[in-house]
Amino acid sequence: MSNNPRANRDNARRTATGRPYRDSSSTSRPKVNSRPASSRSTSSNGAANRTTNRTANRAAQSSSARYGRVDAASRQSPIRTNLRYANTRANTYNSSRIPEMPPKKRMGKGKKIAIVVVAVVLVLGLCCGGVAFAAAGQATELKQKASQAMTDINSVMDSVKAQEYTAAVNSAIDAKNTADDIQEQLSNPIWSAVSILPVVGEDIRNVRVAVSALQIATNDALIPLTSALQATPLSALIGADGAINIDAMNTLLDSVEAAAPSMQKCTDMIEGLPDFHLSQIQNSFGGAKEKIAPLNDKFQQLSSLAPIIGMLLGSEGDRSYMIAAQNSAELRAAGGFPGSIGFMSIKNGLISMEDFTNVYDALPESAMPANANITDVERRLFDDEKNHLKRTNDLGAIPDFERVASIWAQVYADRGDPVDGVISITPSVVQDVLAISGAITLSDGTMLDGTNATKVLEHDLYWKYLGTDEEAAKNAELIDLLFAEAAAKAMSNLFANLGSGGLTELAKVIFADMETREFMVWLTDEAEQAQLSVLNCSGSIGGSVQAPELGIYTSIMTPSKLGWYLDIDTELASPVTNADGTVTYSATTTVTNSLTEQECKKGSNYIIGRNTYYPWAEGDIHPWVYFVAPSGGSITDLQDDAGATIISDTYNDVQVIRAISKLNVGKSATYTYKVTIAPGAESELSVTGTPLLTEYRLAG
């Protein structure tokens, strides 16, 4: 498992569709009285009448009540309900006098039982054969309907992506109707008989569960949600002035929140099913697990955000946020050195950006708030004799971003510029944003886009302007200005051109980058932050007992750009369950200095860190690696092959181990240890940590 986070990566309110549809829970149908006794026939006329009745029955039964599809030109359709009638056919027969027979000898009890058993066996054999024959005749049709239902679900997703919401509504209705048809067909006595058979019967019972899940998902989630999108399309979320329509957004998010419980119920039902025995059924329904789980994850995540998104975007008043552009090349455990600081304001849904400024102006070293209260544990784990934690701009040495952001926000409050929160972005977020908004050109002519921004900002510009010590002495300030310009232009370009499609893509970027700690948000209001914490996007450490995390966080305290060359890889062995209910993983973490000898000789002090700040050899990387145990768990038996200096302590109720090693050019350090998670975990141990640049360096 790679430790590069980027490489590893809720009642239900129904929204009226304005269209008629059948209550799938209703199965009652009107009964039709039998023909009067005077009309019964015992002759050939009776057979003819029965034939006529059967024909009428079939005609009536061929039409069933279904959802009406949506006409794009007219959103209201009359309710069309066809009732299936059932005629009661009177049994008729001719009777004749039976001649009286002489009495027979009584049969023994044992022989009677034997004959009955044989008869039952014969009847069962004939019945099972008939059932199997009849079931086989319907199996092909069921398979085709199952495939069609999955096709309809895919069409819903494709239509939503293309913002073709009428088509999405119709596909959702089609999927619902197909699921109703399958479930009705499975209620046939034929399938009830098949369901008691071994193997095949289990599959049929599980198919019923899968189809019920599909009915729930379509009827209670997809149809209401796509109908809400049709009524309030994403294009209505952005006004002509570029402002976000908060009311329209809240309407859509309310629909998501209302549908979330049904989506979760559907997912639980599908994931609880075993694999099907018959390949035909597995091919039709087996892929549902792979499709429903990631879709539901995004659904639940968006639903969790629904109650607070309006608040974040100013529905309850104007908002302001500090934005820290963290430099991954100047690696700090919380994300990077905050080379540039920006300010974003939201007024009546209109987002505006102020220019990014140099961190030394925005967060002066001497501006540490009096109430920051750096603890002894923090100084022991995250500081050294150089007193990094006395400087506000170096607080990123603490891997807990919530702690770092709270101090930065206090700096702004102390000088009369309070903010509602702090947002952290890395250069990779800038690249992702440019992939949505389009390329930008910096004042020196450098072009940045969605394919090259990270490499240019974290490597190329340094070697272009600071490759030698002479160039570094002349151009050091230029690099800081270019970095600030890139962040400002990227964000301004995004919000200036943010249409409905861009808003959707931006949401995807934010959700993806939150998972890798490349995008983090912390809010100053405790109640708001408590709501936001469900998204796990605020940079806390340790995870939770239910979702355990092993954290591998890293700082390079040497003034340099050596973060470009640091690689960390963590592998977990198969877990072992202990007698006390805990689970233990054996882990190996390898930390590598990927700088080459040629680069070391060529690079300037600014890049390589060749200085007297620390008496180390040029090109050496001395990474401070923090092993953070999962909440309620522990890390034991930590050993290394590089003579690392290791200390351990408890920070915010989680165990933190700091290991400082010396890595010469091209060398590695390997750490082996055991990670134990507490009983009650609902997921396997995951690995998270400081975002690194390995992916971009290897891409060339």
Side-chain angles (χ1 to χ4, degrees):
M1 179 184 301
S2 172
N3 193 61
N4 183 342
R6 195 170 182 85
N8 290 328
R9 293 215 243 294
D10 176 152
N11 140 10
R13 187 186 310 157
R14 300 185 59 177
T15 304
T17 65
R19 280 151 206 87
Y21 58 89
R22 174 177 74 183
D23 183 351
S24 62
S25 65
S26 175
T27 57
S28 62
R29 294 184 173 88
K31 295 182 179 180
V32 178
N33 292 329
S34 302
R35 290 179 289 117
S38 60
S39 66
R40 299 176 185 169
S41 173
T42 59
S43 64
S44 60
N45 289 337
N49 289 339
R50 289 193 297 273
T51 301
T52 301
N53 288 335
R54 284 195 297 267
T55 301
N57 288 342
R58 290 171 185 150
Q61 293 172 3
S62 64
S63 176
S64 62
R66 301 172 66 86
Y67 273 93
R69 288 172 61 89
V70 178
D71 185 346
S74 176
R75 299 188 56 218
Q76 294 292 339
S77 300
I79 296 179
R80 298 172 296 178
T81 304
N82 298 318
L83 298 177
R84 182 178 298 172
Y85 289 90
N87 290 326
T88 303
R89 188 173 66 218
N91 293 322
T92 60
Y93 59 90
N94 292 318
S95 62
S96 61
R97 183 178 296 276
I98 301 175
E100 190 171 336
M101 303 297 292
K104 291 186 177 182
K105 183 178 179 181
R106 295 176 62 87
M107 186 180 296
K109 183 176 181 181
K111 183 177 291 188
K112 285 183 179 180
I113 295 175
I115 291 175
V116 170
V117 170
V118 171
V120 169
V121 170
L122 288 174
V123 170
L124 285 176
L126 290 173
C127 289
C128 288
V131 167
F133 181 80
Q138 295 185 17
T140 300
E141 183 181 357
L142 285 174
K143 182 178 182 295
Q144 291 172 346
K145 288 181 178 179
S147 298
Q148 183 59 50
M150 297 309 297
T151 298
D152 291 336
I153 294 296
N154 290 332
S155 295
V156 174
M157 302 300 105
D158 292 340
S159 297
V160 169
K161 290 179 182 178
Q163 299 189 35
E164 297 172 354
Y165 302 122
T166 296
V169 174
N170 285 332
S171 294
I173 292 173
D174 286 343
K176 202 280 180 186
N177 286 333
T178 302
D180 287 348
D181 284 347
I182 296 174
Q183 201 69 285
E184 185 172 2
Q185 193 165 351
L186 288 173
S187 67
N188 190 299
I190 291 175
W191 295 107
S192 297
V194 172
S195 65
I196 67 175
L197 299 175
V199 181
V200 177
E202 182 183 2
D203 278 0
I204 298 304
R205 294 192 297 272
N206 289 332
V207 166
R208 289 194 179 109
V209 175
V211 176
S212 294
L214 180 57
Q215 288 175 304
I216 292 170
T218 53
N219 191 58
D220 298 338
L222 294 182
I223 292 177
L225 185 56
T226 53
S227 297
L229 283 168
Q230 186 184 43
T232 309
L234 292 178
S235 58
L237 298 183
I238 306 296
D241 58 353
I244 298 175
N245 186 332
I246 303 299
D247 290 338
M249 177 174 289
N250 282 338
T251 297
L252 290 179
L253 290 172
D254 285 347
S255 298
V256 173
E257 190 175 8
S262 295
M263 281 298 299
Q264 186 62 56
K265 182 178 180 180
C266 168
T267 302
D268 293 342
M269 292 171 69
I270 293 294
E271 291 188 332
L273 291 174
D275 289 339
F276 295 94
H277 299 93
L278 300 183
S279 60
Q280 296 94 331
I281 300 180
Q282 181 66 24
N283 292 339
S284 297
F285 291 98
K289 287 185 180 181
E290 288 72 19
K291 292 181 179 180
I292 194 68
L295 175 62
N296 182 62
D297 287 344
K298 297 300 180 184
F299 212 96
Q300 300 304 325
Q301 192 175 44
L302 188 56
S303 175
S304 299
L305 186 59
I308 60 173
I309 185 64
M311 172 266 296
L312 290 171
L313 294 176
S315 63
E316 299 177 8
D318 296 344
R319 306 283 291 190
S320 61
Y321 301 95
M322 166 189 166
I323 301 180
Q326 305 219 69
N327 188 347
S328 302
E330 297 183 71
L331 200 59
R332 298 295 185 271
F337 186 75
S340 299
I341 303 295
F343 189 85
M344 180 176 72
S345 63
I346 307 176
K347 296 182 179 181
N348 298 319
L350 186 61
I351 302 174
S352 59
M353 295 292 303
E354 293 185 6
D355 288 340
F356 278 70
T357 59
N358 186 290
V359 65
Y360 298 106
D361 296 326
L363 295 173
E365 293 188 359
S366 60
M368 181 67 70
N371 61 350
N373 298 324
I374 301 298
T375 68
D376 291 340
V377 171
E378 288 172 330
R379 295 193 185 282
R380 181 169 185 258
L381 287 172
F382 313 125
D383 206 352
D384 64 2
E385 68 276 8
K386 304 302 180 181
N387 293 319
H388 298 285
L389 299 189
K390 285 187 176 181
R391 302 190 292 270
T392 55
N393 48 47
D394 233 357
L395 288 172
I398 302 175
D400 181 7
F401 181 71
E402 290 186 353
R403 171 66 162 148
V404 176
S406 68
I407 298 177
W408 287 347
Q410 188 61 49
V411 173
Y412 271 72
D414 286 351
R415 67 188 187 198
D417 296 319
V419 294
D420 294 294
V422 179
I423 299 173
S424 167
I425 62 173
T426 64
S428 58
V429 176
V430 173
Q431 180 167 317
D432 293 339
V433 165
L434 292 177
I436 302 171
S437 62
I440 59 174
T441 301
L442 303 182
S443 55
D444 71 333
T446 300
M447 189 273 291
L448 302 177
D449 61 23
T451 66
N452 71 348
T454 302
K455 182 175 182 294
V456 171
L457 292 172
E458 299 291 67
H459 177 269
D460 296 356
L461 287 179
Y462 292 135
W463 285 93
K464 178 179 180 179
Y465 292 110
L466 309 171
T468 66
D469 289 336
E470 292 76 13
E471 291 171 330
K474 180 173 55 177
N475 298 321
E477 187 174 343
L478 174 63
I479 290 294
D480 292 335
L481 292 174
L482 290 175
F483 195 88
E485 182 184 4
K489 281 191 172 183
M491 302 305 291
S492 296
N493 191 43
L494 171 68
F495 294 122
N497 299 286
L498 191 62
S500 58
L503 188 62
T504 304
E505 294 303 311
L506 178 60
K508 291 180 181 178
V509 166
I510 289 176
F511 280 132
D513 291 346
M514 285 192 307
E515 293 178 359
T516 58
R517 299 177 70 96
E518 292 165 303
F519 183 95
M520 296 182 285
V521 183
W522 174 85
L523 301 177
T524 56
D525 184 274
E526 291 185 3
E528 293 178 354
Q529 176 58 31
Q531 287 183 289
L532 187 66
S533 63
V534 300
L535 294 178
N536 194 28
C537 66
S538 299
S540 62
I541 61 175
S544 65
V545 172
Q546 294 75 23
E549 288 181 349
L550 166 64
I552 309 294
Y553 303 95
T554 312
S555 292
I556 299 178
M557 303 311 297
T558 309
S560 69
K561 302 298 176 287
L562 290 174
W564 178 260
Y565 302 99
L566 187 70
D567 300 333
I568 299 180
D569 180 79
T570 296
E571 296 181 357
L572 299 178
S574 297
V576 176
T577 301
N578 305 311
D580 60 355
T582 60
V583 177
T584 298
Y585 296 77
S586 294
T588 302
T589 296
T590 303
V591 185
T592 303
N593 178 354
S594 296
L595 181 71
T596 66
E597 291 286 358
Q598 182 179 3
E599 289 169 316
C600 181
K601 293 178 181 179
K602 181 180 178 181
S604 68
N605 169 50
Y606 193 95
I607 297 173
I608 304 303
R610 185 188 302 114
N611 56 66
T612 59
Y613 189 75
Y614 289 100
W616 298 336
E618 59 186 46
D620 281 359
I621 298 179
H622 289 241
W624 296 20
V625 182
Y626 298 99
F627 299 87
V628 179
S631 180
S634 63
I635 296 175
T636 57
D637 302 335
L638 179 67
Q639 301 179 18
D640 77 294
D641 62 358
T645 301
I646 300 174
I647 62 173
S648 178
D649 214 321
T650 299
Y651 173 82
N652 284 358
D653 297 324
V654 296
Q655 178 191 13
V656 177
I657 299 176
R658 186 188 75 183
I660 303 178
S661 61
K662 171 186 172 183
L663 300 180
N664 297 130
V665 174
K667 300 302 181 179
S668 299
T670 300
Y671 299 86
T672 60
Y673 50 100
K674 296 184 183 299
V675 184
T676 299
I677 64 176
E682 298 175 357
S683 62
E684 293 185 350
L685 180 67
S686 63
V687 181
T688 187
T690 308
L692 301 179
L693 296 167
T694 303
E695 172 188 349
Y696 304 97
R697 192 189 74 249
L698 296 180

